[in-house]
Amino acid sequence: MPIISIIIPVFNRDKIIINTLNNLKKQSYRPLEIIIINDASTDKTKEKILSFMEINNDKQFNIILLSNKFNKGACFCRNYGMTNASGKYIQFLDSDDCLDSEKIRLQVIALENSNSSLAISDYQYLENERIIKTCKNNGNLFKKVSLGWSIYTSSPLISTNLIKNKIKWNEKILFLQDKDFLFKVLMLSGSYIYIPGFTSNYIQHGENQISDLYLTKKPQFLIMILSRSGFLLSNFFKLKFKCIFYSILGILEIFYRSSFFYIKKSLKILLGEKNFHKLKKFVNK
């Protein structure tokens, strides 16, 4: 069976990372290559990982620990992990999330029995082991992601040949990076296999989520537009016609959202917060 590379960026997760790794041990599929990129953690994350490796590392569950001297962000770490991945397929995983034990096995079987390079399942939000929200990646995903839908970081299993040395995580995007990257993955693949089932879990917890580690969440509309436009131009002759169409739709959707955002912001300044909310209530009647 082919090796699967699981790429995990980690920063100051000493209270969580062992739970994540113990969850991966429950995967029914082997062999797994676990590539952990320690993004200059200042707590005991590295020590916890090294201790886990001493007890659990073997040929079928091979853990590779890479380290950054300086904090460079999750996108840099994922790109670094891709460079070092030797598996036939790549699974991205955030350091505070987990997978169903059958997730990888089911997606590998589906990909090995098809000509597709991308398998996608559903995901759900968990808090204290309780399901608080479910999200299905069914229907026309090309249309859905073009209109702002998030597939979610860990729900796909991706062929290494599809992405390695071809597309990267945009390191200028500080949050919701998965929307940008997986949009490109889907368009570049041109097709995918949908496997029903909530096999990826977004864990709500008391620690900071990845997006919370950024001090500011200023709108990044221009960066997103430039990122998708650059992708479209550089891959125009590689994409299927429908993917060209949906790529353009995705760019227009961000432009629409940015226009709406700045109109709202301007009205708030012109009318004042109180009058703006009165206008909003009147419009929503």
Side-chain angles (χ1 to χ4, degrees), residues 25-265:
K25 279 186 66 181
K26 296 176 182 178
Q27 285 297 310
S28 61
Y29 185 88
R30 293 292 188 277
L32 299 176
E33 174 185 74
I34 320 296
I35 303 175
I36 306 171
I37 304 91
N38 177 32
D39 198 18
S41 295
T42 56
D43 61 3
K44 294 183 179 179
T45 294
K46 185 175 181 180
E47 290 83 350
K48 291 278 185 80
I49 295 169
L50 289 172
S51 177
F52 184 89
M53 289 172 65
E54 285 183 15
I55 302 169
N56 297 280
N57 209 2
D58 62 53
K59 289 182 180 179
Q60 295 297 302
F61 191 79
N62 182 30
I63 304 173
I64 300 168
L65 178 60
L66 307 173
S67 295
N68 298 331
K69 290 184 178 180
F70 306 101
N71 185 266
K72 296 186 177 182
C75 287
F76 175 90
C77 293
R78 293 179 186 120
N79 289 331
Y80 189 18
M82 272 201 290
T83 302
N84 288 274
S86 64
K88 183 176 180 180
Y89 301 106
I90 288 177
Q91 166 73 59
F92 291 103
L93 181 66
D94 289 343
S95 58
D96 51 354
D97 294 332
C98 64
L99 306 174
D100 182 86
S101 61
E102 293 294 303
K103 195 264 188 192
I104 292 176
R105 186 184 70 83
L106 292 173
Q107 291 184 330
V108 169
I109 291 172
L111 289 172
E112 288 291 287
N113 291 328
S114 72
N115 293 321
S116 183
S117 56
L118 180 64
I120 299 174
S121 300
D122 306 315
Y123 64 100
Q124 59 192 3
Y125 289 71
L126 298 182
E127 186 173 25
N128 298 323
E129 299 184 358
R130 182 174 62 90
I131 299 170
I132 59 174
K133 182 181 178 182
T134 59
C135 299
K136 286 192 172 184
N137 282 320
N138 57 353
N140 184 348
L141 270 185
F142 292 97
K143 180 181 178 180
K144 288 172 76 171
V145 300
S146 297
L147 297 178
W149 177 258
S150 173
I151 296 173
Y152 180 55
T153 306
S154 64
S155 66
L157 187 68
I158 310 166
S159 170
T160 305
N161 289 336
L162 177 67
I163 57 175
K164 192 171 183 179
N165 301 319
K166 293 176 183 175
I167 54 174
K168 291 184 176 182
W169 291 76
N170 191 323
E171 295 171 23
K172 294 180 181 179
I173 298 175
L174 299 180
F175 59 97
L176 300 179
Q177 310 105 321
D178 60 316
K179 276 192 175 185
D180 178 73
F181 180 75
L182 295 178
F183 174 90
K184 296 172 184 176
V185 170
L186 186 60
M187 297 305 158
L188 199 60
S189 70
S191 65
Y192 62 92
I193 299 173
Y194 169 62
I195 305 171
F198 300 103
T199 58
S200 297
N201 300 305
Y202 182 94
I203 308 298
Q204 301 275 7
H205 51 73
E207 301 293 312
N208 285 329
Q209 307 289 156
I210 282 184
S211 60
D212 294 331
L213 297 176
Y214 301 103
L215 298 177
T216 59
K217 290 188 178 181
K218 295 179 180 178
Q220 296 184 294
F221 298 120
L222 180 59
I223 295 174
M224 291 285 284
I225 289 170
L226 290 174
S227 181
R228 291 189 180 186
S229 299
F231 166 78
L232 177 59
L233 289 172
S234 60
N235 293 283
F236 190 86
F237 295 106
K238 300 175 186 175
L239 301 179
K240 293 182 178 179
F241 177 78
K242 70 174 181 179
C243 295
I244 294 173
F245 169 78
Y246 284 118
S247 293
I248 294 170
L249 182 63
I251 295 167
L252 292 175
E253 189 273 336
I254 298 171
F255 182 78
Y256 166 79
R257 281 196 293 120
S258 66
S259 300
F260 187 70
F261 173 84
Y262 286 113
I263 288 170
K264 270 178 59 177
K265 191 173 182 180

